[in-house]
Amino acid sequence: MERLSGLDASFLYFETPAHLMHVCGLLVLDASTMPDGYTFTGVRDALRRRLESNPAFRRKLHNPLFNIDHPVWVDDEDFDIEHHVRRAAVLSPGGPKELAELCADIAAQPLDRSRPLWEMWVIEGIDADAVGGGIAVMTKMHHATVDGVGGASLVSELCSIEPDSGPLGATEHAPVAPRPSDREIVLDGLVGMAKRPLKFAQVLPGTLGTLPRWIQRARRGTAMPAPFTAPRTSFNATVTSHRTVAFTRLDLDDVKEIKNAFGTTVNDVVLALCSGALRRYLADNGELPDSSLVAMVPVSVHGRSTRGGTNKVSGMFASLSSDIEDPVQRLLAISEANKISKDHHQTLSASLLQDWAQFAAPNTFGLAVRAYSKLRLAERHPVVHNLVISNVPGPPMPIYFMGARITGFFPFGPIFHGAGLNVTVLSNDGHLDFGLIACRELAPDLWALADDLPLAVAELLTAARARTQPAAPRRRRTQPAEQA
């Protein structure tokens, strides 16, 4: 029996029609590499064959009556790929903005909880010259089933390193796990609930010391930014069910050149690029805060946490130093702040979030989120953090989806009440693919922010090359020849 962990289940409990908890990914594809050419039925049939060997795509939620613990995963005995792989087309002329508008509409729709919690939309009618590929696939997976790293890995398992080779994931037909009876599920849930007081007693002592230690580090100047200290911006409000999407692709070599010139990390540069773009975006809208923006950066703890469940993630608060005008000084300030934040984060328990999430109660959490939204409490208390910025590792080499080369892999994470903007970055075949998603009412012109990212690269790259390239030697002034 595979029961959802508290953290996995909490993404179900927190979900409302406006507060959607799925992650998305836009794959832009070059169909010319497909051995048999592109057809929608061909892609769907190829996916059907590959999904037979991957049980993660066939499992669904099961929550029988009288189950007082979290739901369990069971195999969908009536699995039908036609419920999950669908077809759509962009409006003419099929450029990036038309594609993004369709993706925003797809991202704004909740997943059907009676079926496995994922969808793929095959999108046609795209201008290959404008977008970089003739077709695209928009994926949706609920956060209860994957975290950021897991979602990218799960999609990658369906891909191949050659147009006509097998998938990177399992190749044998996966056996169907025996389905537990409702009685077994209920009894197991009762046992789990009976153990919760003991688990609470184990978790509480280690957590009580977190706040005093945080205060001590803050006094010494060695703490990450504290929650509820971020300045308010237009996207720090209550979100609606509407979404807006934008995306852009940057050269990873440019980012590495900046990193090497200033002795920082790729992640430092990514945060600096986001900070530079946000500075320009907010200044153009007349709302650039005097104090620095604060981002929540998800951190994978797959190698540190011993807890079960799919989501193994923690969060780190990062200063974006957006109050510093000079781009180089801003990057260096971010780098120093990141060192402090990473060191502080390492002192926190890797399983802290997972340990407390196990006590999540579905009815209580659901009612709390709805009340929080209805009362618009996100606008009444200090801002926890301004946005989420996530950096996800992807494939370093070209990969193919059903034979079509992936020319762009743009991820989109969830947004939250009080933080209606998410920027997720995925490294892919020598590029950094930036996916931006926001509440449409809070950031109606998201393309303006996406278009500011290449400008942020250009100003840092210019400074990096000025720093690393030797100055031209001065020409020696020659004395006039003496007359005979």
Side-chain angles (χ1 to χ4, degrees):
M1 182 188 308
E2 185 180 359
R3 191 178 294 275
L4 275 72
S5 71
L7 185 55
D8 295 343
S10 66
F11 289 110
L12 298 172
Y13 307 153
F14 275 118
E15 188 168 56
T16 70
H19 205 249
L20 298 170
M21 291 289 105
H22 51 244
V23 294
C24 301
L26 173 63
L27 282 70
V28 179
L29 306 174
D30 179 5
S32 67
T33 65
M34 301 180 77
D36 299 323
Y38 165 75
T39 63
F40 171 72
T41 55
V43 169
R44 188 174 60 193
D45 290 343
L47 273 168
R48 180 186 287 110
R49 291 190 295 271
R50 295 195 176 187
L51 293 182
E52 289 178 351
S53 61
N54 200 321
F57 286 95
R58 295 201 313 267
R59 66 182 187 175
K60 69 175 184 177
L61 295 169
H62 183 55
N63 193 25
L65 188 65
F66 303 122
N67 176 40
I68 60 174
D69 204 345
H70 305 308
V72 299
W73 294 116
V74 297
D75 192 85
D76 185 3
E77 298 170 350
D78 300 317
F79 177 78
D80 185 348
I81 197 171
E82 294 188 15
H83 291 144
H84 300 273
V85 180
R86 303 177 182 182
R87 190 178 193 178
V90 297
L91 297 174
S92 178
K97 292 187 177 180
E98 290 77 22
L99 176 58
E101 185 175 353
L102 176 58
C103 291
D105 288 340
I106 293 172
Q109 304 304 316
L111 289 162
D112 184 351
R113 292 198 183 183
S114 69
R115 298 190 173 102
L117 295 176
W118 65 274
E119 291 176 355
M120 290 187 186
W121 291 76
V122 181
I123 302 172
E124 302 169 349
I126 297 171
D127 183 344
D129 293 331
V131 179
I135 58 173
V137 173
M138 179 74 165
T139 67
K140 288 171 61 176
M141 297 180 183
H142 202 282
H143 223 316
T145 67
V146 293
D147 55 17
V149 174
S153 298
L154 201 56
V155 173
S156 297
E157 287 179 12
L158 300 176
C159 300
S160 58
I161 58 175
E162 297 293 341
D164 54 356
S165 62
L168 297 172
T171 56
E172 297 182 0
H173 185 82
V176 176
R179 181 169 181 154
S181 68
D182 287 358
R183 181 175 179 273
E184 290 175 310
I185 295 171
V186 171
L187 289 176
D188 181 76
L190 288 170
V191 173
M193 290 297 292
K195 294 179 179 178
R196 287 196 177 183
L198 176 60
K199 292 180 179 179
F200 182 82
Q202 293 172 337
V203 172
L204 185 60
T207 307
L208 289 176
T210 300
L211 182 58
R213 289 194 296 270
W214 196 315
I215 294 173
Q216 291 173 2
R217 293 184 71 99
R219 289 173 175 170
R220 297 196 303 266
T222 59
M224 70 175 86
F228 299 102
T229 60
R232 188 170 295 280
T233 69
S234 56
F235 42 81
N236 300 125
T238 303
V239 301
T240 72
S241 60
H242 303 133
R243 298 292 179 265
T244 181
V245 159
F247 51 87
T248 192
R249 166 168 264 211
L250 303 179
D251 195 322
L252 182 57
D253 284 341
D254 289 345
V255 172
K256 288 182 177 179
E257 186 174 348
I258 296 168
K259 168 190 76 87
N260 294 334
F262 297 108
T264 65
T265 67
V266 168
N267 194 56
D268 294 336
V269 179
V270 167
L271 291 179
L273 297 179
C274 292
S275 179
L278 285 163
R279 252 188 76 89
R280 193 183 301 268
Y281 174 84
L282 293 172
D284 289 345
N285 291 325
E287 57 168 323
L288 179 64
D290 293 332
S291 58
S292 174
L293 299 175
V294 176
M296 199 282 284
V297 180
V299 178
S300 174
V301 293
H302 278 264
R304 297 171 55 203
S305 174
T306 58
R307 304 295 187 266
T310 299
N311 283 273
K312 294 188 176 183
V313 66
S314 180
M316 182 182 80
F317 292 98
S319 169
L320 296 184
S321 301
S322 56
D323 53 331
I324 299 176
E325 183 176 0
D326 182 81
V328 173
Q329 295 304 315
R330 190 186 317 130
L331 169 61
L332 297 177
I334 288 173
S335 178
E336 289 304 311
N338 267 350
K339 292 175 184 176
I340 292 173
S341 294
K342 289 176 183 177
D343 180 68
H344 186 181
H345 184 265
Q346 287 290 327
T347 66
L348 303 177
S349 170
S351 58
L352 183 64
L353 189 58
Q354 294 167 284
D355 287 340
W356 280 105
Q358 67 185 309
F359 305 112
N363 293 332
T364 304
F365 274 56
L367 290 172
V369 173
R370 284 169 173 79
Y372 188 85
S373 174
K374 186 175 182 178
L375 297 173
R376 305 184 72 89
L377 295 181
E379 296 150 34
R380 298 175 183 271
H381 62 69
V383 177
V384 181
H385 56 85
N386 295 108
L387 74 159
V388 175
I389 301 178
S390 184
N391 193 358
V392 180
M397 68 291 191
I399 60 173
Y400 298 79
F401 183 84
M402 307 303 123
R405 180 168 177 170
I406 297 177
T407 59
F409 194 163
F410 304 99
F412 307 103
I415 59 174
F416 307 92
H417 291 307
L421 172 64
N422 182 301
V423 180
T424 305
V425 187
L426 187 139
S427 56
N428 172 36
D429 187 23
H431 297 86
L432 288 179
D433 292 340
F434 283 70
L436 293 78
I437 186 169
C439 172
R440 189 173 68 198
E441 285 79 2
L442 303 185
D445 190 14
L446 198 56
W447 278 103
L449 179 58
D451 292 340
D452 285 337
L453 283 164
L455 300 178
V457 172
E459 62 183 4
L460 280 173
L461 196 59
T462 299
R465 289 173 178 171
R467 181 186 183 96
T468 57
Q469 292 176 355
R474 294 184 179 180
R475 296 182 61 186
R476 295 181 62 186
R477 182 178 298 177
T478 57
Q479 296 293 330
E482 294 182 359
Q483 295 185 1

